Amino acid sequence: MTVRRDFQEPASCRPDLVIGREELFAGAREQLATGGSVLLHGPAGIGKSTVLRALAEEYAPTARTVLRCSATESESHLPFLALADLLGLVLDEVAPRLPAAQRTALESALTGRGESSLQRDGLALRLAVLSALRALAAHGPVLVVADDLQWLDPASAELLGFAARRLEGTPVQLLCAVRTEGPQSQEYDRQLRACPPGTRAIRLGPLSRAQVAQLLGHRGHGGLPRSTVREIHRTSGGNPLFALELGRALADSPTPPRPGEPLPVPTSLRALVLSRLDMLSVEARRTLLVASAGARPTPALLHAAGRENAEAECAQAAELGLLATEPDAPAVRFAHPLISAALYAEAPAHERRAAHAALSTAASDPIERARHLALATTGTDAEVAARLAEAATLARDRGAPSVAAQLGLLAARRTPAGGGPSPQERRLAAAEDAITAGEVDLARDIAREVLGRATVPADRVRAWIIVIDTAGHTMAEVDAVFPQALADAGDDPRLLALVHYQLAWRALIVEGDFTEARQAAAHAAELAACGKDRRTELLALAFQAQTETLMGHPEAPRTIKRALQEPQDPRVAWHHNGAGSARFRWLVMGDQLAEARATVTALLREVRRRGSVESEVHFLRGLAETELRAGHCGRALDLARDSLRLARDSGIGETASAMLTSLAEASGGDVERALALAREAVQHAEEDGDQMYLSRALGALGYAQLVAGDPAGTVRSLRRVRSLELGLGITDPARGRWQGDLAEALVATGETAEAQDVVDAGREHALRLGRESVLAVLDRSEALVRAARGDLEAAVAQLTSAQDRLGKLGYGLEEARAAFALARLPGPHPGPAAFDEATRMFRRCRALPWLRQVDEVLTAPGPEPAPATPQAPAGLDALAAMERQVAALVMEGATNREIAGRLFISVKTVEATLTRVYRKLGIRSRVDIVRLAAARRAR
């Protein structure tokens, strides 16, 4: 496939041009930094030149001499042209240092004077190029940057390869790029053999869908619907150049394609990929058109569609590189998806309809037959519309809601007005399928189209509900919708139930008012029951149950039972806002981890079968949370990362998934990543006005800060959580489980009185609700308060009890944290074996950040353990308890690290505490503390 120069990447190099190549870029950078050479390779348009320029721009300043060449296909027949690009500007510098024969041969080749050739002056030219590079390297590093090696004229390629193979030991590096169609192509092997020994070959592959979306956004095409981005990714095959050209064509098109229609392939790309079509016979071209119209074309399907010589015509196309040759595979596969798209776009409309008509009878799958039938006809047709609607139902049952949405739209376009179901009803069904598939942009567009046409109140209310649903946690942006939806609902209890159910969500997300949310959900359930709408009634009851569970409301168990009563609606049973989800949340908060895991695993399996993206994201988070509670940090981290990837790919639940992944990273992964994700979640929740998830995100941030050794930061974050939850009416400490972390951080910052207050307040609600694991964690935190106040015997007893109870409840990580706290108590007990036990427990949990904390404590130098914490002089009584202890140890001559080891706090906490001591006492240094104490004793 030939890429013309005007379609290659722009010469200016910006950071966004290496999107999706960060890992490869890092590998190339490492190779160059150690003096090695790099060969980039991959298919046309994959971004080799982009990465090459970025690397050259970064490493050019480190070289004394940079030699560049960039060959083109049109100039590849000119001998020594690439060599002239490389050495032409340095010829005057190196020529005097070459032997006469070599100098003459090189000057003749570069200037064109004389009749130099490889046949005539082969050895002299080869040695001249090698000598020239060595001469340049004698004065400093040399970087040779060569793009498009496949177009190098043969003479230059031979000379450069000869020299490169003999440059070992000299400071000459090659940074090259070559086009290859496959990872094992002969071109790649040939070019690698022509590179210096030890050259690192890096193959650039296709971008993911998320990376294509990011690239399009950076190039000004970020407003495209996700369904369109998905189609761009599919059509481009992840090739960045092709994706950008398709995005540009969409931006320039006055009438963008409707959902289900093929993308407009720009003339530039058509010419690029179809240049070999003219070499095909007319019949072979028709066969390829039928193949491009089919979803999974095979020779048998082509035969059934009337292409009698399909095998021979496909073989002809394969010889021209239009089809991939896979002898063992039955499918007919195009060499690149863009070839299929361009071939289809190039064909006249009547030929496309003929291809679909043939496939409508040849395809064995009823969904495919219905789709082809729709694309083979024009105008409205009740029978075709009915077949498409049936196919949409079948696709929905198969767990392919995205396909169901496209078929539903086709059914709506073929549905005549005045019949039943109406075109608007079928559009709304397609929009609801799109929401299930995670294509919220498509669903929103369909709903707005319906609102512009519909006059039936039921259709309008359903459309308004879809608009609200697609807003997700940014419900504040659609506030104006609610009055219009209520007006369209009139006095119909079924329609009013739909609106009041959404008002319940608004009260929770926008207002942060759990009481109002509970009341609105209960009212929606009553309206739905009156209107005999069991589905909405079940959803409203499930929402009411979840709200009551988070509030610690005594009615929660009864509401859950009501939501689980028969008759059930299968669409609600597995839904992430259904009764199954409410029951899972109750189980997790009630310490029934094994049953919670079984429940959420079954729900996840079902939503995957049905293709519900939003529910899958939700239940992946739920399973990750359950594993995290159980202390399976590695498993939790994998699940959380899967949830975040899916959330970002679909644009659904990103804030919640970032929050949960932060917790998992802080427990079993990368603490810096945990901090970044938590801050991202906080920012998004604040921007969205999402009060419910703001407190959860701040809780994750506080935990990550605690693990990172920043208790002051933890206190700031979790104090906000405490204030938010008080305002929201959340009283169940099992919802966010932040109380123990806040108390622990307060102890570390010397605020033991507030720490005890947090413990007491949390314990009151935990006792009322029977939250045994929360009570054990609070006991662990209270033990730290007692230890800070010098009551070590009580602290040891309380920590030992908390560790035992957490272990029996199955909270592995919390159990390990109790063992670690026990090991860090000052004094002769519990002894060195306690650190071994904490290490064993953290290792069992795969809690890598906590293991690092154990290592830091064990490797920190410190004095011999003292029997008791020294008493501070009376003159320091104005200080807080932690501040007095730190000051007393300073007077003993202890270093900050020694103080940290004695008081089981971090060095950062010691430094922060000393800063407060200096400020309160009006002094500047550790020496001043000693002087002040000595002066007061002298009195």
Side-chain angles (χ1 to χ4, degrees):
M1 188 182 295
T2 301
V3 177
R4 299 191 341 235
R5 296 298 291 183
D6 54 336
F7 294 120
Q8 294 191 12
E9 301 90 341
S12 60
C13 181
R14 304 199 310 270
D16 63 271
L17 295 180
V18 293
I19 287 170
R21 308 300 189 197
E22 292 80 7
E23 187 175 342
L24 298 178
F25 197 85
R29 180 189 285 122
E30 179 184 353
Q31 175 75 356
L32 291 170
T34 57
S37 296
V38 171
L39 174 66
L40 305 170
H41 68 107
I46 205 67
K48 303 179 298 298
S49 298
T50 297
V51 177
L52 183 87
R53 283 192 297 270
L55 288 168
E57 184 175 305
E58 181 173 334
Y59 279 90
T62 67
R64 176 184 177 272
T65 306
V66 180
L67 308 176
R68 301 175 185 269
C69 75
S70 183
T72 63
E73 183 180 15
S74 61
E75 298 170 341
S76 60
H77 65 286
L78 300 174
F80 304 123
L81 184 62
L83 189 66
D85 286 342
L86 287 171
L87 298 177
L89 297 178
V90 296
L91 181 60
D92 292 342
E93 178 184 348
V94 299
R97 286 178 271 173
L98 301 180
Q102 293 180 23
R103 181 171 64 250
T104 300
L106 185 60
E107 287 177 342
S108 177
L110 296 185
T111 62
R113 295 189 296 270
E115 297 179 358
S116 181
S117 68
L118 276 180
Q119 287 74 24
R120 177 176 174 178
D121 303 310
L123 181 60
L125 272 174
R126 289 176 173 83
L127 295 174
V129 173
L130 178 60
S131 299
L133 292 172
R134 285 175 173 165
L136 291 170
H139 294 281
V142 176
L143 178 65
V144 178
V145 182
D147 197 4
D148 283 319
L149 288 182
Q150 74 277 1
W151 301 135
L152 253 63
D153 61 274
S156 296
E158 166 61 25
L159 294 171
L160 184 60
F162 175 86
R165 292 190 295 272
R166 291 162 176 80
L167 286 172
E168 192 169 7
T170 61
V172 178
Q173 295 174 266
L174 267 66
L175 175 57
C176 306
V178 63
R179 180 179 306 171
T180 56
E181 294 306 323
Q184 306 299 328
S185 71
Q186 294 180 352
E187 180 66 20
Y188 157 68
D189 290 337
R190 183 174 69 83
Q191 296 294 347
L192 187 59
R193 286 195 298 270
C195 289
T199 294
R200 182 168 184 172
I202 297 176
R203 178 168 177 80
L204 277 67
L207 299 180
S208 68
R209 189 198 308 179
Q211 290 163 348
V212 165
Q214 187 181 0
L215 179 63
L216 290 167
H218 274 287
R219 295 299 188 86
H221 308 307
L224 296 171
R226 289 182 182 274
S227 55
T228 302
V229 173
R230 183 191 62 195
E231 191 61 21
I232 289 176
H233 177 258
R234 188 195 66 79
T235 303
S236 68
N239 185 297
L241 174 63
F242 299 166
L244 287 172
E245 286 294 314
L246 290 167
R248 190 175 295 117
L250 281 169
D252 295 340
S253 175
T255 55
R258 294 185 295 183
E261 291 183 345
L263 294 177
V265 180
T267 304
S268 57
L269 291 184
R270 292 190 199 185
L272 178 67
V273 301
L274 300 180
S275 57
R276 284 159 285 185
L277 270 186
D278 292 338
M279 303 172 68
L280 283 174
S281 67
V282 173
E283 292 302 314
R285 185 164 179 157
R286 287 175 180 166
T287 295
L288 288 194
L289 175 60
V290 174
S292 71
R296 294 175 297 276
T298 62
L301 178 66
L302 295 176
H303 274 294
R307 307 311 304 165
E308 297 177 356
N309 298 315
E311 285 88 349
E313 289 158 355
C314 286
Q316 183 187 358
E319 289 177 5
L320 295 171
L322 295 167
L323 294 180
T325 53
E326 297 178 354
D328 298 330
V332 175
R333 191 171 67 83
F334 285 87
H336 192 281
L338 188 61
I339 297 174
S340 173
L343 177 64
Y344 187 88
E346 186 81 3
H350 70 277
E351 289 187 10
R352 279 187 266 176
R353 286 196 297 272
H356 286 297
L359 289 168
S360 69
T361 57
S364 59
D365 186 83
I367 292 177
E368 278 300 296
R369 287 200 302 270
R371 185 178 74 87
H372 289 303
L373 179 62
L375 295 174
T377 58
T378 58
T380 60
D381 186 311
E383 183 181 348
V384 172
R387 286 184 59 182
L388 284 164
E390 290 171 4
T393 301
L394 181 57
R396 193 179 304 122
D397 292 342
R398 287 182 180 178
S402 178
V403 175
Q406 293 187 15
L407 291 168
L409 284 175
L410 287 172
R413 292 172 200 152
R414 298 292 182 267
T415 301
S422 70
Q424 306 316 324
E425 288 179 276
R426 283 178 167 154
R427 285 190 176 89
L428 290 168
E432 288 161 354
D433 284 326
I435 289 178
T436 301
E439 297 178 6
V440 292
D441 295 329
L442 174 59
R444 188 186 303 115
D445 290 345
I446 297 171
R448 287 172 177 163
E449 183 181 358
V450 170
L451 287 167
R453 300 181 179 190
T455 57
V456 177
D459 291 344
R460 293 187 60 80
V461 171
R462 279 180 71 189
W464 289 125
I465 297 303
I466 290 168
V467 171
I468 296 169
D469 271 343
T470 56
H473 282 252
T474 61
M475 292 186 81
E477 297 178 1
V478 294
D479 259 356
V481 166
F482 289 99
Q484 299 176 72
L486 285 169
D488 281 331
D491 297 326
D492 188 330
R494 291 175 64 91
L495 301 181
L496 285 170
L498 292 171
V499 182
H500 280 277
Y501 174 66
Q502 295 296 339
L503 283 168
W505 277 105
R506 184 193 177 281
L508 185 63
I509 293 173
V510 179
E511 301 298 335
D513 190 331
F514 274 68
T515 301
E516 183 183 342
R518 175 180 175 269
Q519 292 170 350
H523 184 45
E526 291 172 3
L527 288 167
C530 180
K532 302 188 184 308
D533 180 359
R534 184 60 174 164
R535 180 174 185 271
T536 303
E537 181 186 7
L538 289 170
L539 283 170
L541 286 171
F543 179 86
Q544 182 184 342
Q546 294 227 41
T547 306
E548 290 172 348
T549 298
L550 297 175
M551 294 172 68
H553 197 284
E555 288 295 315
R558 287 194 204 84
T559 309
I560 291 175
K561 287 181 181 178
R562 287 178 62 199
L564 290 170
Q565 285 175 354
E566 296 294 338
Q568 285 290 314
D569 186 316
R571 294 172 297 171
V572 178
W574 54 263
H575 195 273
H576 59 279
N577 290 327
S581 181
R583 181 172 178 273
F584 160 72
R585 179 55 49 197
W586 176 259
L587 291 168
V588 168
M589 295 176 67
D591 299 327
Q592 300 178 60
L593 296 183
E595 193 172 352
R597 182 187 294 109
T599 299
V600 74
T601 300
L603 289 168
L604 180 60
R605 186 184 305 115
E606 181 63 18
V607 299
R608 280 176 166 164
R609 187 184 73 81
R610 293 175 178 269
S612 177
V613 174
E614 184 173 6
S615 293
E616 182 178 356
V617 171
H618 181 90
F619 290 131
L620 274 170
R621 285 199 307 268
L623 184 54
E625 180 185 354
T626 307
E627 298 294 358
L628 199 57
R629 298 277 174 244
H632 305 152
C633 299
R635 170 71 172 151
L637 184 58
D638 290 341
L639 289 163
R641 286 173 175 171
D642 287 346
S643 170
L644 184 58
R645 276 193 293 269
L646 186 56
R648 287 193 165 150
D649 192 31
S650 63
I652 295 174
E654 292 183 72
T655 300
S657 293
M659 176 274 299
L660 197 282
T661 308
S662 171
L663 290 172
E665 291 282 2
S667 298
D670 184 328
V671 179
E672 291 303 317
R673 174 78 172 146
L675 288 166
L677 285 170
R679 291 187 177 111
E680 174 191 327
V682 169
Q683 180 183 349
H684 286 174
E686 289 176 331
E687 290 173 352
D688 295 342
D690 186 345
Q691 296 297 307
M692 183 173 66
Y693 268 110
L694 178 57
S695 64
R696 296 294 307 274
L698 284 167
L701 178 58
Y703 174 66
Q705 289 167 324
L706 183 67
V707 179
D710 179 16
T714 298
V715 169
R716 287 192 300 272
S717 298
L718 297 187
R719 276 176 176 163
R720 284 188 66 190
V721 176
R722 191 181 190 191
S723 175
L724 278 169
E725 292 203 351
L726 186 64
L728 291 170
I730 298 173
T731 60
D732 193 334
R735 187 239 183 186
R737 298 177 181 266
W738 50 266
Q739 293 82 357
D741 293 336
L742 175 55
E744 183 174 334
L746 286 165
V747 170
T749 56
E751 308 294 335
T752 54
E754 185 180 349
Q756 187 63 55
D757 179 63
V758 170
V759 170
D760 292 341
R763 182 178 284 133
E764 178 185 352
H765 294 297
L767 283 169
R768 175 174 61 85
L769 297 167
R771 304 304 192 215
E772 293 298 328
S773 64
V774 174
L775 287 168
V777 168
L778 291 172
D779 280 354
R780 184 185 70 202
S781 303
E782 188 174 51
L784 299 180
V785 175
R786 289 179 170 175
R789 291 173 173 172
D791 190 356
L792 293 178
E793 293 300 328
V796 169
Q798 197 166 20
L799 279 173
T800 303
S801 171
Q803 178 183 337
D804 181 61
R805 285 148 55 205
L806 288 166
K808 289 178 179 177
L809 289 168
Y811 284 76
L813 181 58
E814 300 293 357
E815 178 191 9
R817 287 180 62 180
F820 187 34
L822 191 61
R824 296 181 71 182
L825 289 179
H829 46 73
F835 280 107
D836 294 338
E837 183 178 10
T839 299
R840 177 183 59 79
M841 289 182 175
F842 283 136
R843 188 172 290 121
R844 182 184 64 195
C845 295
R846 285 187 59 191
L848 303 182
W850 288 102
L851 277 170
R852 284 190 285 271
Q853 285 201 27
V854 177
D855 289 340
E856 288 173 6
V857 172
L858 290 175
T859 57
E864 291 296 322
T869 302
Q871 297 297 312
L876 304 182
D877 285 346
L879 301 178
M882 177 63 73
E883 294 166 352
R884 289 198 304 274
Q885 292 179 64
V886 170
L889 289 169
V890 167
M891 283 180 268
E892 274 194 355
T895 65
N896 286 2
R897 186 173 290 278
E898 290 167 347
I899 294 170
R902 293 277 291 275
L903 298 182
F904 57 95
I905 58 178
S906 69
V907 174
K908 288 183 180 179
T909 301
V910 174
E911 294 169 350
T913 304
L914 281 174
T915 300
R916 292 197 302 274
V917 170
Y918 300 156
R919 184 174 64 250
K920 288 182 178 181
L921 298 182
I923 59 179
R924 296 184 177 181
S925 68
R926 298 164 60 93
V927 175
D928 290 336
I929 294 178
V930 179
R931 289 174 179 168
L932 181 63
R936 290 178 176 172
R937 281 195 297 268
R939 293 176 192 165

